[in-house]
Amino acid sequence: MRGKKNLVLLVSESASKGLCERISNSISELTGLPIKVSIKSRAKKAPEEIITSLSRNELIVAIHSLIEEQKTHVILLLSVSGARRISEILLLQANMELSDEEALDALREFGNIVFGTLTSELSRKVGGKVTYTLPEVVIDYDVAIIESLIAPLAMVKDVIEILELSITSGSEEELGFDMLMIPGDNV
């Protein structure tokens, strides 16, 4: 197994085009729909830059998990409308009313697909099992999510990686979301 610093780099490297293709394939197999996930941009930012750039005083959805061995927090940030649309796609419920609980279950499943695909790729690269915690879904104003979830993690790090991703289903509009990767204290 590689050293811990190299594992953090592997987390970053694993969020690549190949990972997006595997996430796309997983969702496509689940739904039977043509799904494409792609990286629109990738940046490394100082914590204070992320905190100020994410704060727009609007309601958002955060899906959070911890890649346990690397103590790396991965957080997906979505607009409420984007999260609702992803829930509809996963549950094949387009144009039908979803309950809040169904939507939350679908978002947890979306987190499982993204985090499971990421840890599978890491497992393959390190030659050992890499696990993640069950995804937690939080819906709140961006300021509250930043203060309670992102800021405490970000303040102990010099640089955080942020990826701007998009997901499309067939000819439908593109839904954007961000993935933040924050290495833990002991990495």
Side-chain angles (χ1 to χ4, degrees), residues 44-49 153-161 183:
K44 292 181 189 272
K45 293 185 176 185
E48 58 275 5
E49 288 178 284
L153 299 171
M155 288 304 152
V156 297
K157 294 293 146 195
D158 294 333
V159 175
I160 296 166
E161 181 148 14

Side-chain angles (χ1 to χ4, degrees), residues 3-158:
K4 286 188 177 181
K5 289 191 188 259
N6 290 339
L7 287 175
V8 171
L9 193 55
L10 284 174
V11 171
S12 174
E13 291 169 356
S14 293
S16 64
K17 182 180 176 191
L19 177 70
C20 289
E21 289 173 11
R22 285 184 287 287
I23 293 169
S24 300
N25 291 339
S26 294
I27 297 172
S28 292
E29 287 175 17
L30 178 69
T31 63
L33 299 171
I35 302 293
K36 182 177 182 196
V37 176
S38 56
I39 297 175
K40 293 176 71 172
S41 69
R42 175 185 219 142
K44 292 181 189 272
K45 293 185 176 185
E48 58 275 5
E49 288 178 284
I50 288 178
I51 291 167
T52 56
S53 71
L54 293 177
S55 182
R56 295 182 189 98
N57 200 28
E58 52 189 47
L59 204 57
I60 63 169
V61 176
I63 306 172
H64 172 254
S65 184
L66 174 69
I67 298 177
E68 295 176 311
E69 292 77 5
Q70 291 74 25
K71 303 296 183 224
T72 297
H73 296 267
V74 183
I75 303 167
L76 306 176
L77 299 175
L78 306 95
S79 68
V80 171
S81 61
R84 174 67 73 173
R85 185 65 193 120
I86 288 172
S87 296
E88 291 169 353
I89 290 168
L90 288 176
L91 295 173
L92 302 172
Q93 300 286 324
N95 302 320
M96 293 178 70
E97 191 64 33
L98 291 177
S99 72
D100 290 344
E101 193 55 42
E102 289 171 323
L104 287 173
D105 286 344
L107 291 173
R108 283 184 204 97
E109 183 58 28
F110 179 65
N112 274 323
I113 291 168
V114 173
F115 304 136
T117 304
L118 179 61
T119 56
S120 291
E121 178 66 14
L122 287 170
S123 293
R124 188 181 62 73
K125 286 186 176 189
V126 301
K129 187 173 181 172
V130 177
T131 60
Y132 66 97
T133 59
L134 291 175
E136 175 187 343
V137 178
V138 178
I139 303 168
D140 207 338
Y141 280 90
D142 53 13
V143 174
I145 289 173
I146 290 166
E147 287 179 7
S148 65
L149 183 60
I150 298 169
L153 299 171
M155 288 304 152
V156 297
K157 294 293 146 195
D158 294 333

